[in-house]
Amino acid sequence: MRFNEGAGLDVSQVEDLRGSGGVGGRVVAGGGGLGVVGLVIYFLLAQFGGVDSSGVAGFGQLGEVGAGQQVDNGALEQTCRTGADANSNHDCAIVATVNSIQDYWSDQFARSGRTYREAPTNFFTSGVSTACGTAGSDVGPFYCPTDAEVYIDLTFFEELQQRFGARGGPFAEAYVLAHEYGHHVQNLLGTSAQVRGGSGPESDGVRLELQADCYAGVWANHATTTPTENGQPLIVEITREDIASALDTAARIGDDFIQRELGGGTVDESSFTHGTSAQREQWFTTGYNTGDPARCDTFGTRDLG
């Protein structure tokens, strides 16, 4: 994955909450329960003994907002100016990826007569408060539909490699972010509001997650042709190896893989919330091969793979 060295970056699409200390995040209106969707790996790991829920900040007091941290984008503004910075600096690569994803969806919405509303990605450390409640890093990256923002502790990408055995890499990280923005698209389109919840291999929750994987693949298809404000694509190269790394990550965050490899070794389909590894790979591939969001109708098919 390589960025256009001359393209400008928009750091306003990222809010840096790191370094302010502890669980807090921006003070936002309190929400109900932790209505997050995305790579909520915590729930599966907690269920199968992978993490201790007492060590996850805020899960006992969801909806309560702690002391506010200050957004400080000063360092990002100084460091992340162009695609050249994204090619050499990890934080800048995340900024550039977020820019590219949102550029694509903004254009796609405009083509269909809709208006895309940008959503910031929040960098945090250890824990954060959101309109969906407070969450610790163990939750993994997530999207909060109540405040319409993405949240991530960037150490998650190290966890993917060290604990999940993923090969990692910039495009594996891009897939994760594109998945979360897939949930933002679902929120804007009203899809999320129609989900009845529940778990199981045919549940609405699984269908929602697989659709977000498909939307991530759609963005990947268009990433090298989506122009920025100056008319040039921000991403100039995505290799076969990049796609392979995304598929590898998808395989390692499937319900069956997590339960079998990181849980108790037993796969319980009734508790599925995100889909199997094979399903997640299949739906990302569907989006990538077709480049068509309309082909991501996981709610209209009886065959999820």
Side-chain angles (χ1 to χ4, degrees):
M1 181 179 182
R2 186 165 55 88
F3 298 97
N4 180 348
E5 295 199 349
L9 304 185
D10 181 3
V11 298
S12 71
Q13 294 182 17
V14 170
E15 296 188 351
D16 195 350
L17 308 177
R18 298 171 297 182
S20 299
V23 175
R26 294 172 299 98
V27 176
V28 293
L34 188 65
V36 297
V37 286
L39 303 179
V40 191
I41 292 169
Y42 165 81
F43 292 107
L44 282 172
L45 293 183
Q47 183 174 1
F48 290 91
V51 297
D52 177 6
S53 61
S54 64
V56 182
F59 275 89
Q61 33 188 323
L62 298 179
E64 298 178 7
V65 179
Q69 291 173 301
Q70 297 297 313
V71 176
D72 183 6
N73 279 13
L76 290 179
E77 291 172 354
Q78 292 298 316
T79 305
C80 304
R81 297 179 181 273
T82 68
D85 299 320
N87 284 326
S88 61
N89 180 285
H90 181 248
D91 286 3
C92 301
I94 299 298
V95 172
T97 299
V98 169
N99 289 171
S100 175
I101 294 167
Q102 299 212 88
D103 282 341
Y104 168 71
W105 286 114
S106 180
D107 180 67
Q108 179 62 31
F109 270 55
R111 289 174 183 271
S112 61
R114 297 174 179 266
T115 300
Y116 176 80
R117 186 171 72 251
E118 289 187 353
T121 286
N122 295 270
F123 295 168
F124 71 92
T125 302
S126 299
V128 68
S129 287
T130 79
C132 295
T134 53
S137 297
D138 284 328
V139 174
F142 64 93
Y143 172 74
C144 172
T146 308
D147 61 26
E149 299 192 12
V150 175
Y151 295 85
I152 184 170
D153 184 331
L154 295 182
T155 60
F156 169 77
F157 295 128
E158 298 176 11
E159 182 84 352
L160 265 180
Q161 293 178 273
Q162 296 171 4
R163 186 172 188 183
F164 290 75
R167 66 180 68 175
F171 200 75
E173 299 176 5
Y175 154 66
V176 171
L177 289 164
H179 173 99
E180 298 308 332
Y181 275 97
H183 287 309
H184 181 54
V185 170
Q186 292 167 329
N187 194 24
L188 295 179
L189 294 177
T191 308
S192 304
Q194 300 175 26
V195 170
R196 294 168 294 181
S199 60
E202 301 290 328
S203 66
D204 279 3
V206 166
R207 293 176 187 274
L208 195 76
E209 297 299 332
L210 295 179
Q211 185 178 67
D213 281 333
C214 187
Y215 284 161
V218 168
W219 161 75
N221 174 284
H222 295 278
T224 58
T225 57
T226 297
T228 59
E229 291 182 356
N230 66 8
Q232 297 180 333
L234 184 52
I235 296 175
V236 294
E237 182 182 39
I238 293 175
T239 66
R240 291 183 180 180
E241 181 63 24
D242 289 327
I243 298 302
S245 70
L247 291 172
D248 172 72
T249 298
R252 293 178 185 277
I253 52 179
D255 287 320
D256 54 341
F257 179 89
I258 293 174
Q259 291 182 9
R260 184 177 59 251
E261 303 296 331
L262 301 176
T266 300
V267 176
D268 176 13
E269 291 188 359
S270 68
S271 67
F272 281 5
T273 58
H274 287 65
T276 66
S277 296
Q279 288 173 326
R280 302 200 70 165
E281 291 181 272
Q282 175 183 317
W283 282 99
F284 174 86
T285 301
T286 296
Y288 179 68
N289 285 344
T290 67
D292 183 2
R295 297 292 295 273
C296 296
D297 184 13
T298 55
F299 293 91
T301 181
R302 292 183 179 181
D303 183 13
L304 291 174

